[in-house]
Amino acid sequence: MDLSVLILAAGKGTRMRSALPKVLHTLGGRSLVRHVHDTARALAPVDLAVVHGHGAEAVREDLAEDGIRWVLQAEQRGTGHAVGLALQEAPIGDEAVVLVLYGDVPLIRPQTLGPLVEQAAAGTVAVLSVRLDDPFGYGRIVRGDGEAVLRIVEQRDAGVDEQRIDEVNTGILAVRAGTLRGLIERVGCDNSQGEYYLTDIVGLAVDDGIPVRATCVGDPEEVLGVNSRAQLARLERALQRRLAAALMDAGATLADPQRIDVRGELTVGMDVFIDVGCVFEGQVALADGVHIGPYCVVRDCAVASGAHIEPHCVLEGASVGAGASVGPFARLRPGAELAESSKAGNFVEIKNAVIGEGSKVNHLSYVGDATLGKRVNVGAGTITCNYDGAYKHRTVLEDDVFIGSNTALVAPITVGRGVTVGAGSTISRDVEPDVLTLTRAEQRTLRDWQRPRKAKGK
């Protein structure tokens, strides 16, 4: 069976009060339409079409990849009109199944859609419905005897009795392509909005004797759309609850599952602990036994087993070795590599630098464009002066180097194995191994000196 998926993503989203097309607002770090696209891909369709209109160029850029058939709906005249446009050039036969999804319904799951596609392949018009405590604004599923679906009535066109129905249409449906083509061309626009409603095919199918089956989804949040920022926030929390549950199933302990944000892909090993208020972006991997303290931001990082990230750290594009320690209040920038059992302490910033096994940059230091060997100790207030205004230069500290506090290392420079650098030094030339080096002005004491004082009356 061939499957064609149509994603309707042409609307502006006026209630969002935004210059950004509605389907490009993000949920968990991905656009709404990207969520729907990824779900559609999981069903392995032979044809995937995205109907776009408002902000067309931006939508195409967000989904810039091969294999998408783009359909422009320059004038938004309803969902039936959008599907009709998409069917015109669909490279599928009449026996293929067409599945209609929406770019602003991001939490739909592949396992929910699979049975719908199977029902359509058997010759029914398969509709996905949901029961809501407050169905206002949604098209009602009107059933006849034996639970057969008779029609779908939009809110604005529903009578008093129909408005009492709590089973509503999600808009998601599947039907054979040949059947859909025949029904769509008969859909009219005789309604209060003058639009072509896709849902009208249900009544037409009933008139033709084509069976219509509505399957009620169990989780209402799975089929909720986004029409406002309040709805976007609600679905963000729903997604995060879903992700938190998966993390706990994978072996992570979350101090509070309600206070974690995953905006990308987070993989965890066993016995990982994540404290409250942490944000994970991009691709993040936490190995067995990793501990993440509260209010950390981790973006595109790999953290090896047993590493400990203290509170209020920001890590981006970094790798942290087994048993290493970071923070609190540390920042690891892209290219930072901490080897096994190394340490970047409080108020330390590391960028494009390798911190060797067992080496420590304990506090109040900046290490950029540098390579530190094993067992190096960097004292408080040390900086690598790596930028000359035009180019970056590298600092190399070989094994067992000890850097005293408040030292400036002016790159390019190599400090040899076993060197001790005295506190308060500015080192601008290479240093041979196993020596003490320092630059320090002679200390003077002036016994006759007096501190300045304000004159009386001033």
Side-chain angles (χ1 to χ4, degrees):
M1 176 201 69
D2 288 341
L3 173 65
S4 173
V5 179
L6 311 182
I7 301 175
L8 308 189
K12 180 179 181 180
T14 304
R15 289 167 56 192
M16 298 297 289
R17 299 280 193 262
S18 175
L20 192 68
K22 178 174 65 173
V23 296
L24 296 187
H25 285 262
T26 58
L27 197 73
R30 290 182 292 160
S31 69
L32 300 177
V33 72
R34 168 62 67 175
H35 281 275
V36 182
H37 167 275
D38 292 350
T39 296
R41 287 291 186 202
L43 299 173
V46 298
D47 172 53
L48 176 56
V50 177
V51 181
H52 60 315
H54 179 73
E57 184 176 342
V59 174
R60 291 177 72 117
E61 183 177 347
D62 185 77
L63 295 177
E65 58 185 65
D66 294 335
I68 292 178
R69 181 168 60 89
W70 293 100
V71 178
L72 179 63
Q73 187 184 23
E75 181 183 3
Q76 278 77 64
R77 302 180 62 191
T79 52
H81 177 245
V83 171
L85 291 174
L87 285 175
Q88 287 178 6
E89 298 182 3
I92 53 172
D94 286 348
E95 296 302 309
V97 169
V98 176
L99 172 66
V100 179
L101 303 178
Y102 296 83
D104 61 353
V105 182
L107 297 187
I108 189 68
R109 301 173 190 260
Q111 52 265 42
T112 299
L113 298 172
L116 211 64
V117 172
E118 293 175 2
Q119 293 166 22
T124 69
V125 175
V127 176
L128 191 65
S129 66
V130 64
R131 294 190 181 277
L132 298 178
D133 293 336
D134 180 9
F136 182 83
Y138 291 88
R140 307 305 202 276
I141 300 290
V142 180
R143 294 180 183 266
D145 295 336
E147 293 298 296
V149 176
L150 299 181
R151 63 187 179 277
I152 299 174
V153 182
E154 296 298 323
Q155 169 75 37
R156 59 180 65 90
D157 300 315
V160 175
D161 291 339
E162 291 167 334
Q163 289 187 20
R164 295 193 182 100
I165 298 172
D166 66 352
E167 184 182 12
V168 303
N169 175 42
T170 67
I172 296 171
L173 58 80
V175 60
R176 284 179 181 171
T179 302
L180 183 57
R181 288 187 176 106
L183 294 172
I184 279 289
E185 64 185 18
R186 292 158 53 197
V187 170
C189 58
D190 184 18
N191 53 64
S192 61
Q193 295 297 304
E195 293 186 350
Y196 296 88
Y197 295 149
L198 177 62
T199 50
D200 285 354
I201 71 169
V202 172
L204 293 171
V206 171
D207 291 343
D208 291 350
I210 301 171
V212 179
R213 179 175 178 180
T215 301
C216 197
V217 67
D219 179 9
E221 288 180 327
E222 188 176 346
V223 292
L224 291 182
V226 174
N227 290 300
S228 68
R229 293 182 188 269
Q231 291 173 341
L232 181 66
R234 175 181 175 179
L235 289 193
E236 181 70 51
R237 286 302 96 205
L239 174 63
Q240 295 303 330
R241 287 193 296 271
R242 182 187 291 185
L243 296 174
L247 290 171
M248 291 185 287
D249 287 344
T253 294
L254 307 183
D256 184 351
Q258 299 294 327
R259 290 190 284 172
I260 182 174
D261 281 87
V262 180
R263 301 170 187 168
E265 183 176 348
L266 172 61
T267 58
V268 297
M270 295 187 299
D271 300 316
V272 168
F273 177 83
I274 301 173
D275 216 321
V276 300
C278 292
V279 177
F280 300 90
E281 300 180 345
Q283 303 293 313
V284 177
L286 308 179
D288 294 349
V290 167
H291 182 108
I292 307 291
Y295 303 106
C296 291
V297 178
V298 184
R299 182 182 304 117
D300 294 320
C301 292
V303 184
S305 60
H308 202 107
I309 312 299
E310 299 285 356
H312 299 284
C313 292
V314 177
L315 288 69
E316 179 181 4
S319 64
V320 179
S325 176
V326 179
F329 296 99
R331 183 185 182 194
L332 303 187
R333 292 168 58 190
E337 299 180 24
L338 272 62
E340 182 177 351
S341 302
S342 60
K343 180 178 181 180
N346 52 290
F347 300 102
V348 165
E349 180 178 352
I350 297 175
K351 185 270 294 183
N352 191 30
V354 177
I355 310 301
E357 181 180 344
S359 293
K360 299 178 180 180
V361 186
N362 277 317
H363 31 233
L364 300 163
S365 295
Y366 168 71
V367 177
D369 299 289
T371 302
L372 278 59
K374 298 178 180 179
R375 300 174 299 279
V376 172
N377 187 88
V378 176
T382 295
I383 62 170
T384 57
C385 307
N386 55 320
Y387 184 52
D388 64 7
Y391 300 100
K392 300 289 182 67
H393 301 281
R394 200 154 192 89
T395 297
V396 178
L397 306 180
E398 296 181 349
D399 294 349
D400 299 304
V401 165
F402 182 97
I403 304 294
S405 298
N406 200 33
T407 293
L409 300 166
V410 183
I413 189 173
T414 297
V415 178
R417 181 187 185 98
V419 165
T420 297
V421 175
S425 295
T426 297
I427 305 300
S428 56
R429 296 191 300 270
D430 291 352
V431 182
E432 62 186 275
D434 300 314
V435 296
L436 167 66
T437 188
L438 67 162
T439 57
R440 187 174 301 163
E442 180 182 354
Q443 181 173 319
R444 300 170 61 198
T445 301
L446 303 178
R447 291 181 173 80
D448 297 332
W449 180 82
Q450 291 186 355
R451 182 179 299 168
R453 298 180 180 178
K454 289 184 179 180
K456 291 183 180 180
K458 293 186 177 180

